[in-house]
Amino acid sequence: MENSVANNVSSSLQVPLLNTPNLLMVGALASISDLAFFLKVTPKHLTYIAYHLDEIYKYSEFEIPKKSGGFRKISAPHIPIKILQKKLSDFFQCCFEEILYLNNVNNKIIHGFIKEKSISTNASLHLNKRYLLNIDIEDFFSSIHFGRVFGYLTKNRNFQFKSDVAKIISALSCYKGVLPQGSPLSPVLSNLIFQPCDIALLNYAKKNSITYTRYADDLTFSSDRPFDKDKLLQDIEECIARYDFKINSKKTRFQSFHERQSVTGITTNKKLNVSKEYYKKVRSLVFCLIKDDDFKLEGKKNEYNIQSKLNVLQGRLSHIDWIDSQEKQKKIKSIKNEKDIVKAHRDLNKRERTLRDFYIYTRFFFDEKALIICEGSTDISHIGMMINFLKKNEEAFFRKEKEKVVQTYEFLKWDSNANRFLSATGGTPSFTSISKRIENPEKFSKIFKGKTTKKKIIYVMDYDETGEKALENLKKTAWIKGNS
């Protein structure tokens, strides 16, 4: 096994800068005025936001639950600075991709905050490996302070910004002296600054027949060959230390093929999956939500409003569903009979049924907002515009809340989930199917036993023969009779 890791930096880093548009733009950003012009603001506005606006007007701080339990501190930028950060993020992301191209690097390493990359693409490279080592970088964002950002922007050969330009970009990037978790600019800057370490670790891994990937602060090493885990860990720790980062030893995990192997929360033994324990926790939250109209997230605090908690739960369900969909697509590709393909798409496994229950609850039972169901997507925009004309006078669709006008209606979107969970693709034939699900949800899922909706359901259809027929069918359902 190689003794020196940090010295194995790819010789491809010596490739001269080629004609790449965003990296060439760096030379044109020679002053604060140039940067302001690029960001489409005045120099006065740019310097005010960077240096003079009080930090309490720049960020809001709050905590969100982690999937693993506990809470993560978020520093969310307010609109004035967020707009500038987003523009800079887009620019640096393009530069990052061009640097990979210049160095002839096919990016299979970095999967965090990259287009078409995810925790799933990260985990897939470690599928069915015999030995696995997971390492976490301690305080990844907060270990990248103002001085490191400034030094990178002025000294890295791909940028070499002038001091005043680098200083103002660093000021826009940092909060309380470090990269904040919650800024759109922090992810790409952390990827850029950690990139030399990535390359060193990649070269080391290649020489030792090891697969290496990184998702944000999660580093994963895997191999089919047995390795000395203590030696491997020591070499990696020395390499990371040379680039001024530190391993969080509490989160270091070695896993062999005899046990459940997990990469960024995804099981990788034979196929990509989530653990049974994780799914059961999510399913229990959905059960509590439907039964009690509320649920408690794990952790010490529970101060979040119901909408915030729903967003967290939606994210967890979508995470499970995305992983399941990859396996489902593989099975469908092996089916040759067209009818069997349609059936495979329609049949829902128990985890998909949990997502279906969540979908139906949040669309038809969650609150008392009026739900407007139109024939098609274009009707939604037209009717939405019409309702907005009534904004001042129509109490059925709006109410005043702290001197603000708040809408009390929503549209049912004809998206893939409507088709998948309601067997509805739009048009009046779908109305009856939807009405039956609202009328007797227990028939489709026992979890809805005794549940009735408080929503006003408004069906909007064309005044023609098809519309009249749909109206007659709707009138036949007991639910419509009792609520019309």
Side-chain angles (χ1 to χ4, degrees):
M1 188 170 287
E2 301 296 316
N3 291 320
S4 175
V5 184
N7 293 328
N8 291 331
V9 179
S10 172
S11 60
S12 62
L13 285 176
Q14 305 306 316
V15 175
L17 185 64
L18 301 179
N19 186 13
T20 46
N22 291 282
L23 287 174
L24 282 179
M25 176 66 70
V26 172
L29 303 178
S31 67
I32 290 176
S33 295
D34 294 333
L35 181 63
F37 180 79
F38 175 73
L39 296 173
K40 298 182 180 178
V41 294
T42 64
K44 184 178 180 181
H45 176 81
L46 183 60
T47 53
Y48 174 74
I49 294 294
Y51 299 130
H52 305 297
L53 183 64
D54 196 294
E55 286 192 338
I56 63 171
Y57 300 113
K58 289 183 181 181
Y59 292 86
S60 294
E61 292 186 309
F62 56 92
E63 292 179 323
I64 61 171
K66 295 181 181 179
K67 289 180 182 178
S68 57
F71 291 83
R72 177 176 286 110
K73 190 174 182 179
I74 300 296
S75 302
H78 293 165
I79 293 298
I81 192 169
K82 187 176 182 179
I83 291 171
L84 299 176
Q85 289 175 341
K86 183 65 173 68
K87 290 177 180 177
L88 286 169
S89 173
D90 292 341
F91 169 68
F92 281 116
Q93 186 61 49
C94 291
C95 290
F96 177 74
E97 291 169 4
E98 289 176 4
I99 291 169
L100 292 177
Y101 170 76
L102 286 174
N103 294 305
N104 196 29
V105 175
N106 179 11
N107 181 28
K108 291 184 179 180
I109 315 169
I110 306 164
H111 295 258
F113 323 117
I114 303 290
K115 290 178 182 177
E116 298 181 0
K117 301 286 185 180
S118 66
I119 58 174
S120 299
T121 60
N122 180 58
S124 65
L125 293 173
H126 304 281
L127 188 62
N128 205 22
K129 292 295 181 94
R130 294 178 67 84
Y131 306 100
L132 196 68
L133 178 66
N134 292 325
I135 292 174
D136 183 85
I137 301 294
E138 187 170 85
D139 301 325
F140 185 49
F141 280 171
S142 58
S143 64
I144 302 174
H145 50 72
F146 181 96
R148 292 189 73 171
V149 177
F150 177 79
Y152 178 84
L153 294 175
T154 53
K155 295 176 182 178
N156 182 273
R157 70 179 188 85
N158 294 301
F159 295 103
Q160 297 181 335
F161 283 107
K162 291 187 176 179
S163 179
D164 57 342
V165 177
K167 185 179 177 181
I168 201 167
I169 293 174
S170 302
L172 292 169
S173 307
C174 295
Y175 173 58
K176 295 183 177 179
V178 298
L179 291 185
Q181 193 155 331
S183 162
L185 187 50
S186 297
V188 65
L189 286 178
S190 66
N191 276 341
L192 282 165
I193 290 170
F194 198 81
Q195 190 182 35
C197 188
D198 277 323
I199 293 173
L201 289 170
L202 175 65
N203 286 331
Y204 173 80
K206 282 182 176 179
K207 290 187 177 183
N208 291 284
S209 302
I210 293 171
T211 299
Y212 163 64
T213 66
R214 178 174 65 86
Y215 185 91
D217 57 354
D218 290 317
L219 282 58
T220 305
F221 301 82
S222 67
S223 178
D224 287 324
R225 295 183 183 181
F227 48 68
D228 184 337
K229 62 180 180 180
D230 294 328
K231 181 68 169 66
L232 175 63
L233 187 59
Q234 181 184 345
D235 289 346
I236 293 168
E237 193 166 8
E238 288 176 0
C239 174
I240 290 171
R242 287 177 184 272
Y243 292 93
D244 295 320
F245 290 95
K246 187 179 179 182
I247 288 176
N248 183 350
S249 56
K250 293 179 181 178
K251 294 187 177 181
T252 299
R253 290 179 299 125
F254 174 78
Q255 303 159 74
S256 73
F257 62 96
H258 295 298
E259 57 191 312
R260 186 175 71 85
Q261 296 176 322
S262 176
V263 177
T264 48
I266 299 175
T267 304
T268 58
N269 291 71
K270 292 184 178 179
K271 64 178 183 179
L272 296 185
N273 206 347
V274 296
S275 69
K276 291 180 181 179
E277 293 79 11
Y278 182 80
Y279 165 68
K280 285 179 179 179
K281 284 181 181 179
V282 172
R283 184 182 62 183
S284 68
L285 294 179
V286 174
F287 179 83
C288 291
L289 171 66
I290 295 173
K291 285 295 181 184
D292 305 326
D293 299 311
D294 200 358
F295 61 98
K296 184 176 181 179
L297 290 168
E298 63 275 15
K300 296 179 181 179
K301 297 183 181 180
N302 202 44
E303 302 169 355
Y304 305 100
N305 61 40
I306 184 63
Q307 187 57 61
S308 297
K309 291 191 287 186
L310 284 174
N311 292 341
V312 172
L313 185 52
Q314 170 77 68
R316 295 180 184 182
L317 286 163
S318 298
H319 167 61
I320 294 169
D321 189 56
W322 193 93
I323 293 168
D324 283 351
S325 70
Q326 305 306 298
E327 195 65 26
K328 192 171 186 175
Q329 288 301 320
K330 288 180 184 177
K331 290 180 180 178
I332 290 172
K333 284 181 180 178
S334 65
I335 300 173
K336 296 181 180 180
N337 187 289
E338 192 172 334
K339 288 183 180 179
D340 290 337
I341 291 173
V342 173
K343 186 177 183 299
H345 277 291
R346 288 290 184 195
D347 288 346
L348 303 179
N349 63 36
K350 64 180 181 180
R351 304 206 294 200
E352 290 175 306
R353 292 195 294 271
T354 300
L355 177 58
R356 176 203 61 193
D357 292 343
F358 176 84
Y359 172 85
I360 290 174
Y361 174 83
T362 52
R363 298 308 182 277
F364 301 108
F365 296 91
F366 167 54
D367 54 27
E368 297 183 18
K369 281 185 178 181
L371 180 66
I372 303 174
I373 305 177
C374 307
E375 289 190 44
S377 299
T378 53
D379 294 332
I380 292 175
S381 58
H382 296 153
I383 294 168
M385 290 173 63
M386 179 190 73
I387 292 174
N388 280 324
F389 281 118
L390 305 173
K391 199 167 190 175
K392 293 182 179 179
N393 304 314
E394 186 50 69
E395 294 181 0
F397 298 117
F398 301 94
R399 71 168 181 267
K400 283 192 176 180
E401 242 180 47
K402 296 180 181 179
E403 299 182 356
K404 289 184 178 180
V405 178
V406 179
Q407 71 179 45
T408 57
Y409 73 93
E410 58 189 351
F411 288 97
L412 179 68
K413 295 179 181 178
W414 296 113
D415 54 18
S416 58
N417 281 334
N419 180 21
R420 185 180 175 192
F421 300 134
L422 301 173
S423 299
T425 56
T428 53
S430 298
F431 288 1
T432 306
S433 170
I434 292 171
S435 184
K436 285 179 179 179
R437 285 189 179 268
I438 303 169
E439 176 187 11
N440 187 13
E442 185 184 348
K443 180 180 177 182
F444 301 94
S445 180
K446 292 180 181 179
I447 198 173
F448 285 96
K449 185 177 181 180
K451 207 76 182 174
T452 56
T453 184
K454 298 176 183 178
K455 281 182 173 288
K456 294 178 181 177
I457 311 293
I458 302 170
Y459 294 92
V460 181
M461 60 200 79
D462 293 336
Y463 186 61
D464 57 16
E465 186 178 341
T466 307
E468 288 181 2
K469 185 177 179 181
L471 183 59
E472 288 302 315
N473 289 332
L474 283 172
K475 286 180 179 179
K476 292 176 185 178
T477 64
W479 183 84
I480 293 291
K481 287 177 183 178
N483 292 275
S484 58

